[in-house]
């Protein structure tokens, strides 16, 4: 009897883990495709990404309901309880990642009104690649529970921030060159910010995993804010 | 004995509710003061807001730990369990509201490099007032559990979106008038977006409260994204 309960509980947990993995893969793909749509002015792909978001909303609700049911039914203790709560938290982060991807996709039309220089797109792509690698890695850690790998992520956090700030600066400069660039570049600025926030969600997930596995708060001071707030681009003053 | 457990459990719940209320008041004040600092170029106040954020980070951690301990210790069922989970979710939203306030405060110096027109600041203040009213109201609903009031919030959501989109447009126009406005207005754009996101967090909290009280998902379709993604400001083309 007892084994039965234990096995069935494990199955419930495993099911939640699988749904979470499905959300992770889906969210990654949405962001990847949103950035592709942006770079290639592909309105059709953008539309697909926007429609794809529904899966994440639905699956988050499903995970929430099942997780709460699981707690009520099984009354798990300590580590198990943390794991279920962790599922709720991580699914909320992944749902937000999908929203950010959708928001990028929604800007595709406005951005492609005017042709933007290739270097901007390359910068966005590189930023997205970095943020998605961060997300993928953190989800791998979730699957393998090897929290010692989380400490290596901090470097990439710094890289994402640095790349975002430099892209921010480049976009501003480009806006100053020609007022016709202002509206589309503003949208690109928000796209960059969205990608940077994906890195932030990856960090949230890392913290949750650390907490789930160890029962402690992650000891590393995290850089939660981007550094672009003090970017002031100097104009050539006559 | 049984009464003792019940009362003590209620006390635990009440304590969590009080901490949450403290977070709410603190977050509201931070946002309010960040916008004041922006409008009055008050670097000292901005610094205070940035330092104030720590309280929210700490209190969120405290609420999380206590909530999980409470579930493990008391193994609450149904409505009580939803309430504890709700506390975890709402505290995460309030912590993010504080982050958004801090981010506005961090931009004060960059914005005040150049003097911005009064109408922009008035617009930001009006937007902040609306978003903070939304947040305050939703926290009142949390305290009173009168979920029927949540349905009235939808109108204000629409108002916030409309006001944000119009501010977005105004900022773009202003950037086109003079390239020296671009850098500071970009920061104002992000400030406006931050304030709009506070409204979004208020909506999240409303959904959580609805779920806590009724056990169902809130039936209203919510507008989760702003409409500024398709703003294209036409230039006078020669």
């Amino acid at each position: 009897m007892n084994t039965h309960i234990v096995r069935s509980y494990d199955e419930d947990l495993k099911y939640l883990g699988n749904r979470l993995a499905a959300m992770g893969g889906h969210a990654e793909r949405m962001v990847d495709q949103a950035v592709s749509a942006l770079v290639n002015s592909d309105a059709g792909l953008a539309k697909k990404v926007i429609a794809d978001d529904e899966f994440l909303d639905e699956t988050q609700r499903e995970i929430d309901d099942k997780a709460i049911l699981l707690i009520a039914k099984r009354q798990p203790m300590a580590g198990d309880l943390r794991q279920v709560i962790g599922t709720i938290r991580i699914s909320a982060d992944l749902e937000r990642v999908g929203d950010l991807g959708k928001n990028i996709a929604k800007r595709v039309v406005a951005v492609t009104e005017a042709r933007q220089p290739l270097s901007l797109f390359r910068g966005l792509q590189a930023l997205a690649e970095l943020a998605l690698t961060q997300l993928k890695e953190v989800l791998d850690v979730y699957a393998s529970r090897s929290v010692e790998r989380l400490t290596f992520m901090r470097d990439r956090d710094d890289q994402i921030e640095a790349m975002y700030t430099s892209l921010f600066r480049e976009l501003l400069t480009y806006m100053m060159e020609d007022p016709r660039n202002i509206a589309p570049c503003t949208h690109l600025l928000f796209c960059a910010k969205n990608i940077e926030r994906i890195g932030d969600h990856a960090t949230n997930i890392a913290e949750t995993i650390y907490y789930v596995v160890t029962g402690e708060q992650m000891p590393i001071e995290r850089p939660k804010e981007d550094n672009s707030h003090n970017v002031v681009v100097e104009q050539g003053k006559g």
Side-chain angles (χ1 to χ4, degrees), chain A:
Chain A
M1 179 68 186
N2 201 28
T3 353
H4 172 70
I5 288 176
V6 170
R7 196 187 55 224
S8 175
Y9 176 72
D10 280 351
E11 273 167 12
D12 282 350
L13 262 190
K14 206 172 157 187
Y15 177 81
L16 284 181
N18 286 343
R19 297 308 284 157
L20 208 57
M23 279 187 83
H26 193 90
E28 280 170 24
R29 199 163 43 248
M30 275 179 69
V31 174
D32 191 48
Q33 292 182 340
V35 174
S36 282
L38 198 65
V39 171
N40 304 312
S41 308
D42 187 339
L45 186 58
K47 224 168 151 177
K48 179 192 169 299
V49 172
I50 293 166
D52 277 351
D53 189 47
E54 211 181 321
F55 171 80
L56 292 182
D57 291 342
E58 278 168 10
T59 314
Q60 190 203 355
R61 268 197 293 274
E62 189 207 343
I63 287 177
D64 270 18
D65 288 345
K66 291 238 163 73
I68 290 177
L69 211 65
L70 188 64
I71 298 174
K73 211 171 59 176
R74 308 279 183 186
Q75 312 196 323
M77 302 298 283
D80 284 343
L81 178 58
R82 285 200 308 271
Q83 199 175 334
V84 181
I85 300 277
T87 312
I88 293 177
R89 276 198 201 144
I90 294 173
S91 80
D93 276 304
L94 292 175
E95 192 269 336
R96 289 301 297 153
V97 170
D99 275 349
L100 293 167
K102 182 168 91 171
N103 187 270
I104 293 173
K106 280 185 168 184
R107 294 181 192 272
V108 167
V109 173
V111 168
T112 52
E113 295 277 312
R115 247 357 257 175
Q116 302 309 316
L118 217 60
S119 78
L120 287 180
F121 286 130
R122 284 220 187 89
L124 269 178
Q125 273 182 312
L127 186 65
E129 217 168 284
L130 213 55
L132 286 178
T133 306
Q134 188 83 321
L135 184 63
K136 208 181 298 266
E137 198 140 312
V138 97
L139 292 172
D140 284 351
V141 173
Y142 179 77
S144 66
R145 296 288 187 281
S146 45
V147 283
E148 67 284 355
R149 278 166 59 200
L150 290 177
T151 44
F152 294 103
M153 290 180 49
R154 177 60 191 274
D155 284 349
R156 205 179 293 120
D157 266 353
D158 292 343
Q159 262 177 282
I160 291 175
E161 295 309 328
M163 206 184 259
Y164 168 72
T165 302
S166 123
L167 200 55
F168 186 96
R169 202 180 290 274
E170 194 181 345
L171 279 162
L172 247 50
T173 311
Y174 195 62
M175 285 154 96
M176 286 170 182
E177 276 171 27
D178 186 340
R180 277 170 302 186
N181 294 334
I182 291 176
C185 282
T186 298
H187 290 294
L188 287 179
L189 215 52
F190 277 110
C191 290
K193 182 70 189 167
N194 284 348
I195 297 170
E196 186 254 354
R197 282 173 61 200
I198 290 166
D200 219 47
H201 284 288
T203 310
N204 283 346
I205 296 174
E207 290 180 345
T208 300
I209 296 170
Y210 191 91
Y211 176 74
V212 165
V213 175
T214 67
E216 313 262 311
Q217 304 288 346
M218 194 144 98
I220 318 153
E221 258 301 299
R222 63 182 281 197
K224 241 186 169 177
E225 298 285 323
D226 71 69
N227 294 312
S228 66
H229 59 267
N230 40 29
V231 169
V232 182
V233 178
E234 275 303 308
Q235 286 278 115
K237 279 171 197 157

